[in-house]
Amino acid sequence: MPEIDGYQVLEKLQEVGHPASVFVISADIQTGAIQKTQRLGAKDFIQKPLSADRLHQVLYEHKFLESAPVELIQPKALSQRLISQTEIKDALAEMSNLAMGQAAALLSKLLGAFITMPIPKVNVLEVSELTMAIQAAHYDNRVSAICQGFMGKGIAGEALLLFHDASYTDMAKLMGQQLQHANNTRLEVLQDTANVLIGAMLSGIGDQLQVQFSQSHPVVLGQHANIGELLDSNASRWQRTLAIEINYQVQDHNIECDLLLLFGEGSLRNLASNLGYEVTQ
C-alpha cells in the first residue's frame, strides 16, 4: 500500500467507527506487531504463508463459518509454472518478506524493541547500478560493512550488511554493552547484528526453498567508511547480480542498517525452480 500501512488502515476504521471485521495476514511476527493489531481492533492475526485450512480454522473459530475444517487432500504435484523475470521478482520479494519477518522477530526479541520493516526491493542489476543505487540512498552516511558468502543446491551469493555508524551508541545500549573500548565493542556490535540478521534471513529463505545454506566465515569489508569508498574497493566481488535489499530500523532509536542479499545471475533459475516456477527468456 503506497500511501498508508496496515496499522493506519486499522486506525482509520476505528476513527470512522466502521464495523468491518479485520483479519491481519502478515509476515511481521514480532510480538509487538501482533499486540498492536489487536489493540487496533483486528479480530485475529494469521502468520504468512497462509494456507486454506488455517484460514478456514480461524474463520470457524470466530463463527464466520459453520463447519470446522476437514483435513485437506494434498493435490498432486503440478508442473512448474512459466513466469517472466518481472513476475519472479515479485515472487522473490514475497519470499524475502516472509524471511524478513522472522529476522525482525529475532532482532526484536534480542533488543527488546520494535523493528520497522518496509517491503524488500528486488532487482537484477549490474554492479555499477547496484553501487550507484546504494550510494544515492546513503550519500552522506558513514557505514561499517560485513559480508558473508552462502551456497546450497545451485544457489550461491553473498549477504552484505551495511551498518550506519550513527547507530552504534543506541545498538550497544540495547545489547547491554558499553562503548568504553570503542573499536572492539563496535566490531562486536557489528558482528552480533550481522549474525542475527544474516542467519535468520538465510534460514527463512532456505525453509521456503527447501535448501540448507552453508555459510562462509564473515568478512569485515570496512569500518566507519564513506559508502562510495567502501563499495568501490569491493566492486570486484560482485558481477551482474540479483539484489534483494532490506532496510531495518528500530522504532524510537537511532538505529538503521541495510541487508543486501546478492545472488549470482546464474542462481536466478534455481531460485525460481525451487519456488515452483520456470523463468522464461
Side-chain angles (χ1 to χ4, degrees), residues 144-146 159-163 190 193-194 197-198 257-260:
S144 297
I146 193 166
L160 173 63
L161 181 73
L162 301 174
F163 191 84
L190 176 64
T193 306
L197 292 182
I198 294 174
C257 61
D258 293 273
L259 178 62
L260 290 94

Side-chain angles (χ1 to χ4, degrees), residues 130-239:
L130 173 65
T131 56
M132 287 176 61
I134 298 173
Q135 288 183 55
H138 308 290
Y139 69 95
D140 60 348
N141 292 319
R142 297 191 72 80
V143 300
S144 297
I146 193 166
C147 190
Q148 188 170 22
F150 58 87
M151 63 182 301
K153 290 182 67 173
I155 300 169
E158 289 188 310
L160 173 63
L161 181 73
L162 301 174
F163 191 84
H164 296 213
D165 275 14
S167 303
Y168 274 111
T169 300
D170 277 13
M171 183 66 87
K173 288 179 180 177
L174 289 177
M175 288 182 170
Q177 299 175 351
Q178 299 295 326
L179 291 178
Q180 295 172 340
H181 305 290
N183 289 335
N184 290 339
T185 306
R186 286 171 183 263
L187 180 58
E188 187 175 344
V189 168
L190 176 64
Q191 291 174 329
D192 286 348
T193 306
N195 284 337
V196 171
L197 292 182
I198 294 174
M201 278 297 299
L202 291 180
S203 176
I205 289 175
D207 288 346
Q208 296 174 70
L209 298 176
Q210 297 183 329
V211 174
Q212 185 171 359
F213 290 110
S214 59
Q215 297 171 234
S216 64
H217 188 74
V219 176
V220 177
L221 300 182
Q223 289 184 269
H224 325 306
N226 174 274
I227 185 68
E229 297 169 354
L230 189 150
L231 291 171
D232 287 342
S233 63
N234 289 280
S236 61
R237 300 174 65 95
W238 309 299
Q239 300 301 318

